[in-house]
Amino acid sequence: YTMSTPYQSNAVAGTNINGALPHLSSTGRESETLYIDTLSDEKAVELFREASGLYFEALVRLGWMYETGRGVPQSREEAMACYRKAAERDEVPALVRLYIMASDSADAPQTLDAEITARWLISIAGQGHAEAQYLLGRLYQEGLGVPASSETARQWLQEAAEQGNADAMYHIGLLYAQGESVPQNDEEAALWYEKAAVLGHRKAQFSLGMRYMKGQGVPQNRRLYYSWLLKSANQGYSLAKSMLAPSIFTCSEEDLDR
C-alpha cells in the first residue's frame, strides 16, 4: 500500500516520502519497511507529521510509528487518534488497523463505529484480502455493524483460511467444536486447530494440545499434549502456562516421551 505520488513541501522538497513509509498492505499489516538510507525513524516521523495535513496516507504511517514506538514514544492513544483521522477520510489500512487495535481492547464497541468498519471490510474483503475476510467473518459472528449470521461468518472465515490466515483457521476449528453453522465434528475441529497451530497460533496450539490430552478428534497422546501446550505457553498464552508445571519449560522433546 504505497502513496500514489510524492509529497513535497519547502521543508522536504525533492524528498520522495514513499522512501520513508512503512509499506502497509490494504489489510493494515506492515509487509515491509523501506526507509531511504540516511533517514532515521525520528526524521521519518517528522516527515509523516508534516505530510499528514495534506496526505492522509502519511497519517496512517504516523499512526504506525506511534503504535510500534518507532521514532516516538509508543502510544496506543496517539496511534488510534491518527488512525481515526485517516479512517474518516476512507483510508482503508487505517480503518483495519483501528479495528485490530480496538478488538484487543475491552471497550472495542465504544472505540469504533462498527457500521463504518463493516462497510469498508466488505469492500476490501471482496477484493480478496485475507485479513479483511477474517475480520468481516468475526463481525458477522458478533453482529457488529452487520446482521448476525453464523453461515455468512463461516463463509468469510473459510475464504480467509484458504489464503492461509491462521486466525480464521482457529475460528473454523471453534465452529466445528461447537457445532455452529456446521455439524459438530471433533475430527474437523482438531484438523483446523492443527492447521492454525502449525502456523504458530497460540490459542490453536493450546486447543490442539488439550484435544490430545482428552483424545477428542485425535488419538490420545501425552507427548503431543505437552508439546503443543509448551509451544503455546512459550508464546505467553496464560491458559497453557497454567496447565503446565514449571519444570516442563526446561524439557527437551525427548523428555516429553518419558
Side-chain angles (χ1 to χ4, degrees):
Y1 187 87
T2 56
M3 296 178 70
S4 54
T5 59
Y7 170 82
Q8 293 185 327
S9 72
N10 291 334
V12 291
T15 300
N16 184 342
I17 197 168
N18 281 324
L21 297 178
H23 286 218
L24 301 184
S25 69
S26 55
T27 64
R29 300 289 190 189
E30 184 180 30
S31 58
E32 59 178 326
T33 302
L34 299 176
Y35 292 112
I36 56 178
D37 293 340
T38 59
L39 195 63
S40 66
D41 285 348
E42 290 76 13
K43 182 61 177 178
V45 168
E46 181 183 330
L47 293 178
F48 299 157
R49 187 172 285 118
E50 182 176 355
S52 64
L54 297 177
Y55 236 132
F56 286 94
E57 293 181 46
L59 193 57
V60 179
R61 274 54 174 198
L62 182 59
W64 181 260
M65 301 299 271
Y66 275 113
E67 185 179 347
T68 56
R70 300 186 59 168
V72 287
Q74 192 169 22
S75 171
R76 175 188 176 86
E77 292 73 20
E78 290 288 347
M80 293 190 75
C82 290
Y83 292 147
R84 279 196 193 93
K85 289 179 183 178
E88 289 171 359
R89 298 289 179 159
D90 295 338
E91 285 294 325
V92 173
L95 188 62
V96 178
R97 284 309 307 161
L98 195 57
Y99 179 80
I100 291 170
M101 292 184 73
S103 297
D104 292 333
S105 169
D107 63 348
Q110 290 75 40
T111 314
L112 190 62
D113 188 318
E115 290 186 5
I116 294 176
T117 303
R119 185 185 76 213
W120 280 104
L121 288 180
I122 288 170
S123 173
I124 60 178
Q127 297 173 34
H129 296 287
E131 183 75 22
Q133 291 168 344
Y134 160 68
L135 293 172
L136 185 58
R138 297 289 288 127
L139 286 187
Y140 275 107
Q141 280 187 312
E142 302 296 330
L144 294 173
V146 291
S149 170
S150 57
E151 177 59 28
T152 303
R154 185 192 62 78
Q155 291 172 0
W156 282 115
L157 291 174
Q158 186 76 39
E159 291 201 31
E162 289 173 358
Q163 295 198 70
N165 184 283
D167 286 322
M169 294 173 185
Y170 169 69
H171 280 278
I172 292 176
L174 285 177
L175 294 181
Y176 278 106
Q178 298 166 2
E180 183 182 340
S181 78
V182 291
Q184 198 279 334
N185 188 315
D186 284 332
E187 288 76 16
E188 283 291 325
L191 175 66
W192 283 104
Y193 286 151
E194 184 172 15
K195 288 176 183 287
V198 168
L199 294 176
H201 194 287
R202 64 182 188 173
K203 290 184 179 180
Q205 291 169 341
F206 172 78
S207 297
L208 182 60
M210 294 302 295
R211 285 182 170 265
Y212 275 113
M213 182 186 78
K214 300 173 183 178
Q216 283 185 310
V218 290
Q220 200 167 24
N221 187 309
R222 179 173 176 270
R223 178 184 179 279
L224 289 175
Y225 157 65
Y226 281 119
S227 178
W228 282 115
L229 255 69
L230 186 58
K231 286 180 170 65
S232 178
N234 283 337
Q235 293 199 76
Y237 192 47
S238 58
L239 283 178
K241 287 182 176 180
S242 70
M243 296 289 293
L244 296 173
S247 59
I248 199 71
F249 292 97
T250 62
C251 286
S252 65
E253 289 290 319
E254 292 74 20
D255 291 334
L256 296 176
D257 288 325
R258 297 172 186 168

